[in-house]
């Protein structure tokens, strides 16, 4: 399209999924992409402070909407969803039945990402609020003991190099944390690691994270093309294959199909 690289800021949880998407996009559109992955709240702050970006892909809706509200960026759309689960070590014998008791155990180190800086931390707080609603005092106790061990800083400028071990896995394997509340989209990668046990959250405590993008006010054709690619059938299937949910659920899509 042109010789200027397309600058993308994206939530760290998107790194693995975006790596291949970006490579495919570069081949199809003859454009180079520079991608920077990190905690979405901190990336949003950099944009607010003047950092140039063509497209910002956040792990929530609040950060893109805030940038649009302050007229820093132009509005975009929700392009994916995610949920939470917990990562732990097999010898701790954590399962759905004893999860709340294990989270509240004073001898168990619970970790999350950093709230405000990283939407993953904000979503974990929502889980604790749901626990509190069903188990008074336990949700507050878990929230107060949880350590914010990830998402507090932005990594150095990154490209589409292969993603390394998820930071949450390293926390567990290094025994800095016993139970980490994190994104379910990491499950596919975590399943390939020995020494990691994955426990889905019971539906009563589950949340849905909605990922949204925003565009630079000076909207470039390349940025629009990448946004369209995210929402295309191929883009959506790729995200789903990497552990995310569709931007719109299949139920919504079928409902729309049958009412047309």
């Amino acid at each position: 399209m042109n010789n200027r690289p397309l600058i993308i800021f994206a939530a760290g949880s998107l790194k693995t999924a975006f790596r291949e998407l970006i490579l495919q996009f570069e081949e199809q559109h003859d454009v180079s992409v520079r991608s920077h992955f990190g905690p979405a709240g901190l990336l949003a702050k950099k944009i607010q402070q003047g950092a140039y970006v063509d497209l910002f892909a956040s792990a929530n809706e609040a950060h893109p909407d805030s940038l649009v509200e302050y007229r820093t960026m132009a509005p975009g759309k929700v392009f994916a969803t995610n949920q939470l689960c917990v990562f732990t070590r097999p010898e701790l014998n954590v399962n759905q039945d004893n999860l709340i008791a294990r989270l509240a155990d004073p001898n168990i180190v619970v970790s999350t990402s950093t709230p405000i800086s990283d939407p993953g931390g904000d979503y974990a707080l929502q889980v604790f609020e749901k626990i509190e609603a069903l188990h008074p005092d336990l949700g507050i106790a878990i929230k107060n003991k949880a350590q914010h061990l990830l998402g507090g800083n932005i990594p150095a400028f990154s490209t589409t190099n292969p993603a390394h071990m998820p930071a949450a896995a390293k926390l567990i394997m290094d025994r800095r944390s016993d139970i980490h509340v994190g994104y379910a989209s990491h499950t596919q990668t975590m399943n390939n690691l020995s020494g990691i046990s994955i426990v889905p959250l019971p539906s009563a405590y589950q949340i849905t994270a909605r990922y949204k993008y925003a565009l630079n006010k000076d909207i470039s054709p390349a940025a629009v093309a990448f946004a369209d690619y995210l929402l295309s059938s191929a883009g959506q299937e790729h995200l789903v294959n990497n552990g995310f949910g569709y931007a719109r659920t299949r139920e919504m899509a079928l409902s729309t199909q049958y009412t047309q």
Side-chain angles (χ1 to χ4, degrees):
M1 290 185 175
N2 58 52
N3 294 326
R4 183 178 68 78
L6 179 69
I7 307 298
I8 294 176
F9 282 12
S13 53
L14 291 165
K15 186 173 183 180
T16 299
F18 265 33
R19 181 184 65 209
E20 187 176 341
L21 274 178
I22 287 172
L23 290 174
Q24 293 172 353
F25 179 79
E26 288 178 322
E27 291 178 0
Q28 294 176 13
H29 294 270
D30 191 26
V31 61
S32 64
V33 176
R34 295 188 71 195
S35 54
H36 192 178
F37 298 92
L42 297 183
L43 293 177
K45 186 175 181 180
K46 285 181 67 71
I47 296 170
Q48 187 71 49
Q49 293 172 341
Y52 182 86
V53 61
D54 291 297
L55 183 145
F56 171 45
S58 179
N60 67 1
E61 296 181 88
H63 294 318
D65 289 348
S66 177
L67 291 170
V68 171
E69 181 181 351
Y70 285 99
R71 300 186 179 182
T72 304
M73 300 197 77
K77 297 178 180 179
V78 171
F79 65 90
T81 59
N82 206 345
Q83 292 191 317
L84 297 191
C85 65
V86 301
F87 304 105
T88 183
R89 290 186 297 280
E91 66 267 22
L92 294 175
N93 298 312
V94 179
N95 55 55
Q96 287 191 327
D97 292 333
N98 67 17
L99 177 59
I100 303 306
R102 301 298 273 162
L103 286 170
D105 187 333
N107 296 313
I108 295 290
V109 177
V110 176
S111 64
T112 73
S113 288
T114 305
I116 301 176
S117 296
D118 187 342
D122 299 323
Y123 293 132
L125 292 182
Q126 292 178 26
V127 170
F128 300 156
E129 289 172 0
K130 289 194 171 191
I131 293 173
E132 177 65 19
L134 294 174
H135 307 279
D137 298 331
L138 283 183
I140 292 176
I142 296 167
K143 173 184 174 182
N144 290 340
K145 66 172 286 195
Q147 299 182 27
H148 307 146
L149 300 182
L150 299 179
N153 59 76
I154 301 176
F157 202 94
S158 55
T159 61
T160 54
N161 291 330
H164 299 292
M165 177 190 297
K170 187 165 177 58
L171 282 179
I172 298 297
M173 297 177 78
D174 289 349
R175 297 181 179 271
R176 292 178 58 201
S177 173
D178 297 315
I179 300 176
H180 182 79
V181 182
Y183 288 121
S185 57
H186 291 312
T187 297
Q188 192 169 359
T189 302
M190 298 285 210
N191 275 332
N192 297 322
L193 301 174
S194 61
I196 298 291
S197 178
I198 303 166
V199 182
L201 284 181
S203 58
Y205 315 123
Q206 187 60 269
I207 60 89
T208 297
R210 291 165 60 84
Y211 285 55
K212 190 174 187 178
Y213 70 82
L215 300 168
N216 191 290
K217 288 189 298 182
D218 297 323
I219 299 174
S220 72
V224 172
F226 186 79
D228 288 344
Y229 190 49
L230 284 178
L231 292 168
S232 70
S233 295
Q236 289 289 289
E237 289 299 328
H238 178 79
L239 288 168
V240 169
N241 289 338
N242 278 270
F244 293 89
Y246 291 100
R248 299 197 312 165
T249 65
R250 285 188 178 275
E251 289 78 8
M252 288 175 61
L254 287 171
S255 175
T256 301
Q257 175 183 341
Y258 290 125
T259 55
Q260 290 179 341

